[in-house]
Amino acid sequence: VPNIATAQALVRVTDATASTKTDVSNQVFIITQPVTAVINPTGTVNICAGATVTLTSNSATGNVWSTGATTQSISVGSSGTYTVTVTNTGCSATSLATTVVVNALPATPTITAGGSTTFCAGGSLTLTSSAASGNSWLPGGQTTQQILVTASGTYSVQVTNAAGCSSTSNPTTVTVNALPTAPTASSNSPVIVGGTINLTASTVSGATYSWTGPNGFTSTAQNPTISGATLPMGGTYTVT
């Protein structure tokens, strides 16, 4: 009897040749629709280690899973084959199996810096992933094994294997320092032989100074002096 929910019914019989002749049974008949059991999702489900997938029965009640659970849904994090048996008014049906495959994560990548992670503006740094392939750098999204960094930031690399599972490295912090303002150099030139050469550099907050000049002159003072000037001391003095 299609399109009728499970129910109790009486049967009325009518004579095909005389419609006025009818009889009603004195026995109650129980009409039961077939029971179905379906798991969503079906087939094979791939997940990554540490993740879970929810398997759900098509029936709100009467469920017994192959794990022993009796809820409509179960959360699965282990490889295996799962079925559910649905029972309704004494009739049962068992679903087709759903196979869950747990795929391993790739090895956690490491980042190797090709030099100091702190450098001055205008410089650069190469960061290298330990994985030869499957890389995705953050930020930026580059997929090469190496990247060239010229800006401050926190960099990490995510590696994805053929199963679509990913692992992410620990972050590497890069600091790019701004260049100081170039100092202005001056002197008391011209200076007579035997006199004193006074070199002067403008003040730059937090800076150190390095002077070079003729006759092998060097100094780390901001404002160095040279006594007993000689002809070979004449020339150009620079400060950085």
Side-chain angles (χ1 to χ4, degrees), residues 11-57:
V11 177
R12 180 190 298 274
V13 179
T14 301
D15 191 324
T17 61
S19 60
T20 58
K21 296 180 180 180
T22 62
D23 190 16
V24 178
S25 69
N26 59 4
Q27 181 179 352
V28 175
F29 293 87
I30 297 176
I31 302 172
T32 302
Q33 295 299 326
V35 177
T36 59
V38 179
I39 296 175
N40 183 36
T42 61
T44 299
V45 180
N46 285 277
I47 61 174
C48 298
T52 60
V53 61
T54 299
L55 304 182
T56 302
S57 166

Side-chain angles (χ1 to χ4, degrees), residues 16-107:
T17 61
S19 60
T20 58
K21 296 180 180 180
T22 62
D23 190 16
V24 178
S25 69
N26 59 4
Q27 181 179 352
V28 175
F29 293 87
I30 297 176
I31 302 172
T32 302
Q33 295 299 326
V35 177
T36 59
V38 179
I39 296 175
N40 183 36
T42 61
T44 299
V45 180
N46 285 277
I47 61 174
C48 298
T52 60
V53 61
T54 299
L55 304 182
T56 302
S57 166
N58 65 312
S59 177
T61 60
N63 297 288
V64 178
W65 291 86
S66 52
T67 62
T70 57
T71 51
Q72 185 176 9
S73 297
I74 60 173
S75 181
V76 173
S78 301
S79 292
T81 300
Y82 298 85
T83 59
V84 66
T85 297
V86 176
T87 301
N88 185 13
T89 62
C91 297
S92 298
T94 299
S95 69
L96 295 175
T98 290
T99 300
V100 175
V101 178
V102 179
N103 296 294
L105 301 177

Side-chain angles (χ1 to χ4, degrees), residues 21-236:
K21 296 180 180 180
T22 62
D23 190 16
V24 178
S25 69
N26 59 4
Q27 181 179 352
V28 175
F29 293 87
I30 297 176
I31 302 172
T32 302
Q33 295 299 326
V35 177
T36 59
V38 179
I39 296 175
N40 183 36
T42 61
T44 299
V45 180
N46 285 277
I47 61 174
C48 298
T52 60
V53 61
T54 299
L55 304 182
T56 302
S57 166
N58 65 312
S59 177
T61 60
N63 297 288
V64 178
W65 291 86
S66 52
T67 62
T70 57
T71 51
Q72 185 176 9
S73 297
I74 60 173
S75 181
V76 173
S78 301
S79 292
T81 300
Y82 298 85
T83 59
V84 66
T85 297
V86 176
T87 301
N88 185 13
T89 62
C91 297
S92 298
T94 299
S95 69
L96 295 175
T98 290
T99 300
V100 175
V101 178
V102 179
N103 296 294
L105 301 177
T108 300
T110 57
I111 296 175
T112 301
S116 174
T117 55
T118 300
F119 54 92
C120 296
S124 63
L125 174 68
T126 298
L127 299 181
T128 304
S129 168
S130 57
S133 60
N135 295 289
S136 178
W137 289 88
L138 301 171
Q142 301 95 321
T143 57
T144 51
Q145 186 175 9
Q146 292 184 331
I147 61 171
L148 190 67
V149 173
T150 59
S152 294
T154 300
Y155 296 83
S156 61
V157 64
Q158 184 181 77
V159 173
T160 303
N161 61 19
C165 298
S166 300
S167 295
T168 302
S169 70
N170 289 326
T172 294
T173 299
V174 174
T175 301
V176 180
N177 294 316
L179 296 176
T181 303
T184 301
S186 61
S187 72
N188 60 336
S189 178
V191 177
I192 63 173
V193 173
T196 298
I197 302 173
N198 296 318
L199 302 174
T200 304
S202 58
T203 299
V204 177
S205 178
T208 58
Y209 298 83
S210 177
W211 285 89
T212 59
N215 208 32
F217 172 78
T218 61
S219 176
T220 57
Q222 180 181 350
N223 302 310
T225 61
I226 307 171
S227 300
T230 62
L231 290 175
M233 295 179 182
T236 301

